[in-house]
């Protein structure tokens, strides 16, 4: 977890700073006012899912694929739930703000999912043997 936590916190600080800079430059026209909450949602979700995946893999290393794909499906379903709650609670009637929300949501979704994939793959490298990887 320590090999994940430090780069994750650095990544999150960079993304948060970038969001703040874009909001300071363009305002709510580009960055939806709900974006900090979405950022917090993905920050906590990634931590929880990575910790859960780590515990499942530690219990049985053969369950890596089950744990990894389970975490991906959980991320997808919880994220879709967030979008549905936003849209059903009146977010769908805001006009152009809906597109700002969806744009920031998908940007954060792919950034955090991409970081998790990078982190998992970079942690797998020490376990692979030099002759096993084909070009």
């Amino acid at each position: 977890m320590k090999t994940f936590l430090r780069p994750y916190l650095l990544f999150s600080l960079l993304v948060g700073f970038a969001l703040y800079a874009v909001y300071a430059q363009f305002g709510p026209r580009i960055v939806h006012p709900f974006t900090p909450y979405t950022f917090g949602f993905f920050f906590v979700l990634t931590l929880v899912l990575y910790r859960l995946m780590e515990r499942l893999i530690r219990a049985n290393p053969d369950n890596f694929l089950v744990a990894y794909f389970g975490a991906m499906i959980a991320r997808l379903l919880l994220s879709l739930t967030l979008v549905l709650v936003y849209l059903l609670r009146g977010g769908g009637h805001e006009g152009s703000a809906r597109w700002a929300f969806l744009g920031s949501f998908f940007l954060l979704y792919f950034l955090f999912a991409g970081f998790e994939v990078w982190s998992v793959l970079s942690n797998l490298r020490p376990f692979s043997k030099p002759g096993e990887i084909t070009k």
Side-chain angles (χ1 to χ4, degrees):
M1 183 77 164
K2 288 182 183 178
T3 60
F4 172 75
L5 195 57
R6 182 172 289 147
Y8 180 65
L9 291 176
L10 180 64
F11 167 77
S12 297
L13 283 172
L14 289 173
V15 170
F17 179 72
L19 283 175
Y20 177 75
V22 170
Y23 185 77
Q25 183 70 26
F26 299 106
R29 201 172 35 139
I30 300 294
V31 180
H32 193 272
F34 195 66
T35 300
Y37 301 112
T38 308
F39 176 78
F41 171 77
F42 282 120
F43 179 80
V44 171
L45 181 66
T46 301
L47 277 177
V48 169
L49 289 178
Y50 191 84
R51 178 71 178 141
L52 179 66
M53 190 170 55
E54 182 184 53
R55 289 182 72 190
L56 289 172
I57 293 170
R58 191 178 304 141
N60 186 1
D62 293 335
N63 283 340
F64 171 75
L65 287 177
V66 172
Y68 182 69
F69 287 124
M72 287 179 71
I73 289 172
R75 171 190 306 280
L76 178 68
L77 292 177
L78 290 170
S79 299
L80 286 176
T81 302
L82 178 72
V83 170
L84 285 176
V85 166
Y86 170 76
L87 292 175
L88 293 176
R89 295 195 51 114
H93 302 293
E94 294 180 9
S96 65
R98 173 182 25 183
W99 295 110
F101 169 76
L102 289 174
S104 63
F105 171 82
F106 282 114
L107 177 70
L108 288 172
Y109 178 85
F110 288 123
L111 282 174
F112 278 93
F115 180 81
E116 186 179 356
V117 167
W118 172 81
S119 178
V120 168
L121 289 178
S122 66
N123 286 334
L124 286 178
R125 284 187 193 142
F127 298 111
S128 63
K129 295 177 184 159
E132 291 181 344
I133 300 174
T134 59
K135 293 183 181 180

